[in-house]
């Protein structure tokens, strides 16, 4: 079946994304920070039969920005994922996440038994924050939030510059950078500007400690397939990222050479791992 755009109304907010219906397992896919639902498009040809729903997380892609009084937090993101599943009529489903989306997916699985299986690409449990940095991190978030005004966004006359920027920042091919950019911009007089909510750039207010992340990973009851690219990202280094698997009840790991967006650059290999995991 063909790829279809969709929009859901959730408490006055629009949750948008892309869906490729299928007779197989239901999979809800969550993209990384500043990406969008198009992140998973390269996988589709290699995942026949799956009922794939690829979500634009709040503030990304075609989904609504959160109201000014609301904040982008992990608990809010978990609630949003479950609200989307409710709107789809899905009681049980598989979560597939990349980077930030994998962090959200793994923490969703830790608090909800509705998640049948979890595929986490390039993250597991989220970013940590040492306790000694708690006050300074919160201070930076509050200061930035209070002084940040919505500024006019740069208008690009063509898509060439934002595509080139994504290629350089994420080591993406031109085709994959274009996928993300075309869904991540809106046409305006004089060219294009980013759709993304500027508040997603604010410093994170509070991060979990490593002990808290361990506790959450231990609470995941479903089978988990973790996929890492090598070399590891500097903010999620070895042996930390591999050590986290020891806290999973039913976890398995696949590591293959690639960049952070390995699921876009090596979709056939990643899809093969996913299909074997889903059985």
């Amino acid at each position: 079946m063909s790829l279809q755009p969709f929009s859901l109304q959730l408490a006055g907010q629009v949750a948008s994304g892309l869906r490729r219906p299928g007779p197989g397992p239901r999979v809800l896919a969550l993209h990384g920070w500043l990406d969008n639902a198009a992140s998973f498009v390269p996988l589709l040809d290699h995942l026949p039969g799956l009922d794939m729903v690829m979500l634009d997380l709040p503030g990304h892609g075609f989904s609504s920005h959160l109201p000014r009084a609301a904040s982008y937090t992990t608990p809010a993101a978990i609630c949003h994922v479950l609200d989307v599943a409710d709107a789809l009529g899905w009681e049980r489903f598989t979560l597939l996440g990349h980077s930030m989306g994998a962090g959200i997916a793994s923490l969703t699985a830790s608090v909800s038994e509705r998640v049948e299986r979890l595929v986490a690409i390039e993250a597991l449990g989220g970013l940590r924050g040492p306790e000694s940095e708690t006050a300074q991190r919160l201070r930076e978030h509050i200061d930035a939030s209070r002084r940040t005004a919505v500024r006019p966004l740069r208008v690009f006359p063509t898509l060439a510059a934002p595509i080139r920027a994504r290629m350089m920042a994420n080591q993406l091919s031109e085709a994959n950078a274009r996928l993300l950019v075309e869904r991540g911009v809106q046409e305006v007089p004089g060219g294009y500007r980013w759709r993304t909510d500027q508040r997603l750039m604010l410093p994170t207010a509070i991060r979990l400690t490593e002990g808290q992340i361990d506790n959450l990973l231990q609470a995941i009851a479903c089978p988990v397939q973790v996929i890492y690219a090598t070399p590891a990202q500097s903010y999620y280094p070895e042996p930390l990222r591999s050590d986290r698997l020891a806290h999973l009840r039913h976890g398995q790991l696949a590591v293959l050479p690639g960049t952070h967006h390995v699921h876009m650059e090596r979709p056939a290999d990643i899809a093969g791992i996913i299909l074997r995991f889903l059985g």
Side-chain angles (χ1 to χ4, degrees), residues 177-190:
R178 181 177 294 276
L179 276 175
L180 294 176
V181 168
E182 287 181 344
R183 191 166 182 84
V185 299
Q186 61 185 103
E187 194 166 357
V188 296

Side-chain angles (χ1 to χ4, degrees), residues 2 12 25 39 82 119 138 141 162 165 213 247 268:
S2 61
S39 174
L82 296 175
V119 180
L138 182 58
H141 174 82
I213 293 172
H247 298 284

Side-chain angles (χ1 to χ4, degrees), residues 189-205:
Y192 304 87
R193 68 182 179 198
W194 294 110
R195 292 180 179 274
T196 312
D197 192 339
Q198 297 175 56
R199 291 182 298 147
L200 290 164
M201 305 286 196
L202 292 175
T204 306

